[in-house]
Amino acid sequence: MTTNRRNHYRLLHVQPDAPPEVIKAAYRALIATRHPDVGGNEYEAVLLNDAYGVLSDPAKRATYDAQRAVRAASRARAAHTAAGERTTPPAHACPMCHLVLPGQVGRDTRCARCRAPLAPVRVSGPRGKPMDRRGIPRVSKSDWAIMHVDWKTDAIDVRMRDLSLDGISVYSGLELPLHRVVRIVGQSFDVVATVVGCRRLDAVFTVHASLATALFAESTGGFVSAMA
């Protein structure tokens, strides 16, 4: 197999699904003007011969197509990750809207611009001991919440799946990229979290996110009506 990384289909001016006879005709038309014997460029002729040698052989073409698919998937993942990383807030800023934090952040401190909670989540207490899960409000899979995927846009409805000391999981009609920062507000909690997983489940998506900041109600007075 050649080490030429150029797009063989593009070199021959054919589509990736072109049948063998089209590839052959395209090659013959191009090489007739590119071959050194007729005043063409030797380097271009080598590339054309290389491309045709791969695409005219069914086995080589299948291997080449598979390699192209792997490279395309890798580029897509890299672009996806880069897009997600651009949502990462700078240090000492609100994780949702990136406004600079106030001088002191307490349990009830909220962002002055987007109203997101600013108190960082602690999964361990003094001396590294795990915090008591009883401090986390219980949620049911029948509970509904609202999710902000951007602080400037309207929230969407999501159904709860789970809530723990360091993570949250919901059912959403919207697919979210990894590393997206979201704010989810329920009846007894308000959290900002970073998406770490999103999988399709029938007609919806299960979204899993790692908590960054949170405010949990000490009673069931509720947050939704006051903060939606």
Side-chain angles (χ1 to χ4, degrees), residues 1-6 50:
M1 178 72 68
T2 177
T3 57
N4 173 26
R5 294 295 295 274
R6 288 176 178 261
D50 192 10

Side-chain angles (χ1 to χ4, degrees), residues 11-75:
L11 282 169
L12 295 180
H13 298 180
V14 296
Q15 296 298 319
D17 59 352
E21 57 270 21
V22 171
I23 292 174
K24 184 175 182 179
Y27 166 72
R28 286 182 172 180
L30 289 168
I31 201 65
T33 60
R34 303 295 200 280
H35 198 280
D37 291 347
V38 294
N41 183 286
E42 181 177 0
Y43 177 66
E44 291 183 2
V46 169
L47 292 179
L48 290 173
N49 286 328
D50 192 10
Y52 183 66
V54 172
L55 300 185
S56 62
D57 183 297
K60 290 181 179 179
R61 183 179 180 181
T63 300
Y64 174 70
D65 287 345
Q67 292 173 341
R68 289 182 70 241
V70 170
R71 289 196 295 269
S74 178
R75 289 193 297 269

Side-chain angles (χ1 to χ4, degrees), residues 120-137:
V121 172
R122 292 191 306 126
V123 296
S124 61
R127 300 180 182 178
K129 293 182 179 180
M131 290 182 65
D132 192 343
R133 184 181 169 85
R134 288 176 296 181
I136 301 295

Side-chain angles (χ1 to χ4, degrees), residues 13 104 106 141 200:
H13 298 180
Q104 293 185 337
K141 291 186 177 181
R200 178 179 287 277

Side-chain angles (χ1 to χ4, degrees), residues 120-121 123 136 163-168 184 191-194 209-214 216:
V121 172
V123 296
I136 301 295
L163 178 65
S164 66
L165 289 169
D166 58 356
I168 188 169
I184 302 175
V191 301
V192 176
T194 302
S210 176
L211 299 188
T213 62
F216 300 118

Side-chain angles (χ1 to χ4, degrees), residues 105-110 117-119 214-219 223:
V105 174
R107 173 190 175 277
D108 300 323
T109 305
R110 294 185 179 277
L118 296 180
L215 175 59
F216 300 118
E218 295 180 350
S219 65
F223 290 142

Side-chain angles (χ1 to χ4, degrees), residues 90-111:
H92 308 299
C94 170
M96 193 66 197
C97 72
H98 302 181
L99 183 69
V100 176
L101 294 181
Q104 293 185 337
V105 174
R107 173 190 175 277
D108 300 323
T109 305
R110 294 185 179 277
C111 175

